[in-house]
Amino acid sequence: MRTRRAALGTIAGAVSLALTLSACGETSESGSGSTDGTIGIAMPTRASERWLTDGKSVVKDLETKGYKTKLVYGDDDPKAQVAQVGDLIEQGVDALIIAAIDNKSLNGVLQKAADADIPVISYDRLILGSANVDYYVSFDNEQVGRQQARFIIEKLGLEDGKGPFNIELFAGSPDDNNTRYFYDGSMHLLQPYLDSKQLVVRSGETSLDKVTTLRWDGAAAQKRMSRILSKSYNGKTVDAILSPYDGISLGVLAAVKEYGYGPDGKDLPIVTGQDAELASVKSIIAGEQSQTVYKDLRELATVAANMADDLLKGRTPRINNRRGYKNGVKDVPAYLLQPASVDKSNYSYVLAGYYTPEQLK
């Protein structure tokens, strides 16, 4: 097995990634088979459907390539994840694929990975402040935010001059680098309507530091939305809520329904989302959540698995973004996939093959 230093030092040319889809496998601490080496996979939480899918998919793709795998979940505890990554290094894994809980907490343990010649792939969430991140795989995160904002703009008729409408803004976890990209992508399109007063944030909470949701927690989002409604919406109606993630979306919806929105009261606001989690897709079908952004996690897993395989076999992983993702120390070469907006009008064909008709009943 080539070491990190040998692999990165003898790269001779780019090779193609096969972006074929793979089915989800079963999560396990140690995969089956292989003489090609062992790859450690550190995922952030088991509390979200999407990360369970990510873990299973990465394991499946790597085992198909002949690797053993060690999959761990940090359960939203940054210190636990640091310890888990340290354990994987001690166990002698040949490469690491890490979706960080806290994007700045891994610097020390990644130095240990570098000292052990273990390449590191940052998975979906860019790890900040470390020179020891070799590659990054994710989706076009600004495009995610733009798709959420575009949906709100179209549904409210803002380009036709309609308004004013009341909107509230939610963002992801402050320790996740993607949060800024999602928010900036959305605000790039929404800010002109805020400036013209076609959109009004009655809470006054618009800056990123005021609208983040630690650990992307739906319960925290519900609590904040309830506070906003109680304080800022007596006798007023919220027309739209920018939500960056499905778990937050369902929390926000729970709050507005408690305040009389729904079939027997005020019309539900437009609520965006992300990840096309099953509960949210069902909510969209039922006419509650309005939109989500679909990211095919099977494709992301395939890219990560191919990238690890290329690194360990002395090949150049394919990238399509060389300088767009700066982690504070270096430009991390990246491969970005494209997301897709999903609503009630198109879910059946956008998600065809991802969920079965039985799952969506």
Side-chain angles (χ1 to χ4, degrees):
M1 177 62 59
R2 292 179 181 267
T3 64
R4 167 186 173 137
R5 191 169 290 112
L8 298 181
T10 60
I11 285 173
V15 295
S16 296
L17 281 174
L19 296 180
T20 53
L21 303 182
S22 65
C24 296
E26 293 297 318
T27 304
S28 61
E29 289 299 316
S30 179
S32 61
S34 113
T35 57
D36 283 352
T38 301
I39 296 178
I41 307 156
M43 292 288 161
T45 182
R46 289 174 288 192
S48 168
E49 174 190 320
R50 75 142 293 183
W51 292 112
L52 295 174
T53 300
D54 281 287
K56 292 176 182 178
S57 298
V58 174
V59 165
K60 179 67 173 180
D61 279 3
L62 287 170
E63 289 183 352
T64 298
K65 293 179 179 298
Y67 292 95
K68 292 180 181 177
T69 59
K70 293 181 180 293
L71 171 64
V72 295
Y73 282 89
D75 293 332
D76 285 322
D77 183 341
K79 291 182 179 179
Q81 186 173 61
V82 170
Q84 288 174 338
V85 172
D87 288 343
L88 291 170
I89 293 168
E90 291 295 322
Q91 293 170 34
V93 297
D94 297 287
L96 285 164
I97 297 172
I98 303 173
I101 297 170
D102 180 337
N103 55 29
K104 295 182 179 179
S105 67
L106 293 161
N107 297 358
V109 76
L110 292 191
Q111 183 59 54
K112 293 180 181 178
D115 293 343
D117 294 322
I118 298 171
V120 174
I121 297 169
S122 188
Y123 186 92
D124 198 53
R125 298 173 171 180
L126 183 61
I127 297 169
L128 302 182
S130 175
N132 301 308
V133 180
D134 295 295
Y135 287 90
Y136 175 50
V137 296
S138 189
F139 289 82
D140 186 333
N141 295 317
E142 283 200 5
Q143 185 64 22
V144 171
R146 286 171 181 254
Q147 288 181 351
Q148 292 164 344
R150 173 56 56 190
F151 185 84
I152 291 171
I153 290 166
E154 290 178 353
K155 290 301 178 182
L156 292 179
L158 297 178
E159 289 180 326
D160 297 326
K162 294 181 180 179
F165 297 103
N166 294 320
I167 188 172
E168 293 297 331
L169 310 176
F170 283 74
S173 191
D175 53 9
D176 183 342
N177 192 59
N178 287 349
T179 291
R180 177 173 58 86
Y181 285 100
F182 299 146
Y183 184 75
D184 287 351
S186 294
M187 296 309 290
H188 178 79
L189 297 183
L190 294 179
Q191 191 62 53
Y193 299 105
L194 292 169
D195 293 342
S196 70
K197 308 300 183 184
Q198 278 181 265
L199 290 177
V200 178
V201 181
R202 294 189 61 81
S203 69
E205 297 173 4
T206 58
S207 62
L208 182 57
D209 64 323
K210 298 293 185 182
V211 302
T212 54
T213 311
L214 185 63
R215 304 285 182 264
W216 303 84
D217 181 51
Q222 180 177 352
K223 183 177 181 180
R224 176 173 171 248
M225 190 70 229
S226 294
R227 174 180 59 77
I228 289 171
L229 290 168
S230 176
K231 181 179 178 181
S232 303
Y233 283 87
N234 290 322
K236 302 293 182 179
T237 299
V238 60
D239 301 298
I241 299 169
L242 175 70
S243 168
Y245 159 62
D246 287 345
I248 290 174
S249 309
L250 295 182
V252 164
L253 279 165
V256 298
K257 285 191 282 187
E258 286 180 355
Y259 275 77
Y261 292 77
D264 299 322
K266 299 178 182 178
D267 289 342
L268 286 168
I270 295 166
V271 179
T272 60
Q274 178 182 184
D275 284 342
E277 292 189 346
L278 184 57
S280 279
V281 176
K282 287 184 174 182
S283 179
I284 289 170
I285 295 169
E288 295 191 345
Q289 185 172 327
S290 310
Q291 179 258 14
T292 188
V293 176
Y294 170 57
K295 303 186 301 187
D296 193 332
L297 304 178
R298 300 165 300 180
E299 278 196 57
L300 188 63
T302 297
V303 172
N306 286 346
M307 191 172 276
D309 186 45
D310 285 341
L311 280 170
L312 294 177
K313 291 180 178 174
R315 303 187 299 249
T316 303
R318 182 180 173 188
I319 61 172
N320 58 12
N321 190 300
R322 185 171 295 278
R323 301 189 185 280
Y325 284 81
K326 306 176 188 298
N327 77 346
V329 176
K330 64 187 287 188
D331 297 325
V332 182
Y335 194 98
L336 305 180
L337 293 161
Q338 291 302 309
S341 181
V342 174
D343 58 42
K344 196 171 184 177
S345 71
N346 69 359
Y347 76 90
S348 61
Y349 61 86
V350 175
L351 300 179
Y354 195 73
Y355 293 121
T356 66
E358 290 73 22
Q359 286 176 298
L360 296 178
K361 289 181 179 177

